[in-house]
Amino acid sequence: FWPFWKLIKALGDEDRAPRLVVLENVCGALSSHDGKDFAAISSALSNNGYRFGAVVINAVHFLPQSRPRLFIIGVRKSSPIPRALIASGPEGEWHPSALVEAYGKLSKRAQSSWEWWRLPAPPARTSIFADLVEDEPHGVTWHTAAETKKLLGMMNPLNLAKVEAAKKAGGRQVGTIYKRTRADGPNGEKVQRAEIRFDDVAGCLRTPTGGSSRQTIMVIEGKRVRSRLLSPREAARLMGLPDTYALPKNYNDAYHLAGDGVAVPVVRFLAEHILEPLLAAALAVEKKAA
């Protein structure tokens, strides 16, 4: 943040400060270092001429991926803010308790520059994860029967029960798996577990820093069970990228692009309901002044 903010301050010194500053981060940014990181960012905005606020938006409202993210939106104090964009206080969907708690730890000066941004209810999602899965994936291959058996062997009884239920459900069932280290070995030791979900939603995409950070899918059709890594194109679809979007040829590069990105429809929603109205109001004032 600080190298970025140094650039913003330099623009301000040249009377070229941007009308809007929008930051995106994981929701852990609200509580890291007991909220001091979020407070420092908030003070930087407030002390440098910005009114600001934050919202938490989960991509699951728009795409079949669980991906809550924090968006901090700052607007120059010289720019007008349409009244319709401001809520009287926190609104549950967009201002969860962690955000309200982080706001409570801000300095009085930062709180005086704070706005509770108002957003409409999210649209109804029209897709499920299975809709995005490729029948003939590119960039990955299906696991061997032995590899799938090993994956099943990493599941605890609860997750194995989910697989059995999917077999009995009939049709084509698609689940997503992440490998996690759990302290549930026979003697309480830490072991790597494969945890599966069949709720038509993928887990949050990550950057491929290790084997467990790559998401695996399991396709069950009756008694037939197959598994493989999530393909680069499937990862891109989970971020709202069209199939015409050119992906890096290297698997890790393509997966990193998705895991480190922002979900397209989330940003479009934010732009439509907050960013574009703010810019339009600012430009209208500047045009009138000219």
Side-chain angles (χ1 to χ4, degrees), residues 16-209:
R16 297 194 297 130
R19 300 182 187 91
L20 292 180
V21 172
V22 185
L23 308 171
E24 179 264 2
N25 212 318
V26 296
C27 295
L30 292 169
S31 57
S32 60
H33 295 97
D34 194 33
K36 292 178 182 176
D37 291 339
F38 182 70
I41 293 171
S42 299
S43 291
L45 285 159
S46 176
N47 294 342
N48 287 275
Y50 286 89
R51 300 193 66 76
F52 71 100
V55 293
V56 172
I57 305 180
N58 193 335
V60 78
H61 293 305
F62 309 86
L63 299 160
Q65 180 194 175
S66 175
R67 192 181 187 84
R69 287 294 185 268
L70 171 71
F71 292 87
I72 303 171
I73 304 158
V75 57
R76 292 294 298 175
K77 291 180 178 179
S78 57
S79 297
I81 300 178
R83 186 173 299 177
L85 303 185
I86 302 300
S88 58
E91 297 183 336
E93 180 63 49
W94 313 117
H95 307 125
S97 58
L99 176 56
V100 176
E101 183 178 344
Y103 163 79
K105 295 180 179 180
L106 300 184
S107 67
K108 289 185 178 180
R109 179 171 180 175
Q111 286 186 352
S112 70
S113 299
W114 180 272
E115 302 288 359
W116 293 105
W117 297 116
R118 170 175 285 151
L119 284 167
R125 178 162 52 85
T126 58
S127 64
I128 60 175
F129 175 65
D131 296 336
L132 278 60
V133 171
E134 298 179 292
D135 292 326
E136 298 180 4
H138 297 279
V140 294
T141 57
W142 290 97
H143 290 161
T144 64
E147 288 172 324
T148 297
K149 184 178 180 180
K150 181 180 179 181
L151 192 63
L152 290 168
M154 295 172 64
M155 294 185 183
N156 64 17
L158 176 62
N159 285 277
L160 285 173
K162 294 180 184 178
V163 173
E164 291 303 313
K167 289 180 180 179
K168 295 176 182 178
R172 179 172 176 261
Q173 305 293 322
V174 182
T176 61
I177 299 170
Y178 266 130
K179 296 175 183 176
R180 306 181 192 278
T181 300
R182 300 296 189 193
D184 62 354
N187 299 308
E189 71 273 19
K190 291 183 178 180
V191 295
Q192 193 175 45
R193 293 296 191 188
E195 299 181 354
I196 193 166
R197 58 192 294 171
F198 285 100
D199 58 356
D200 294 324
V201 173
C204 185
L205 291 174
R206 309 171 186 172
T207 53
T209 53

Side-chain angles (χ1 to χ4, degrees), residues 240-276:
L241 294 171
D243 284 357
T244 53
Y245 189 93
L247 295 173
K249 292 182 179 180
N250 178 274
Y251 179 89
N252 276 1
D253 290 345
Y255 201 92
H256 194 286
L257 180 148
D260 205 33
V262 288
V264 175
V266 171
V267 177
R268 177 90 293 279
F269 180 76
L270 199 61
E272 179 180 353
H273 297 290
I274 295 182
L275 308 184
E276 290 169 356

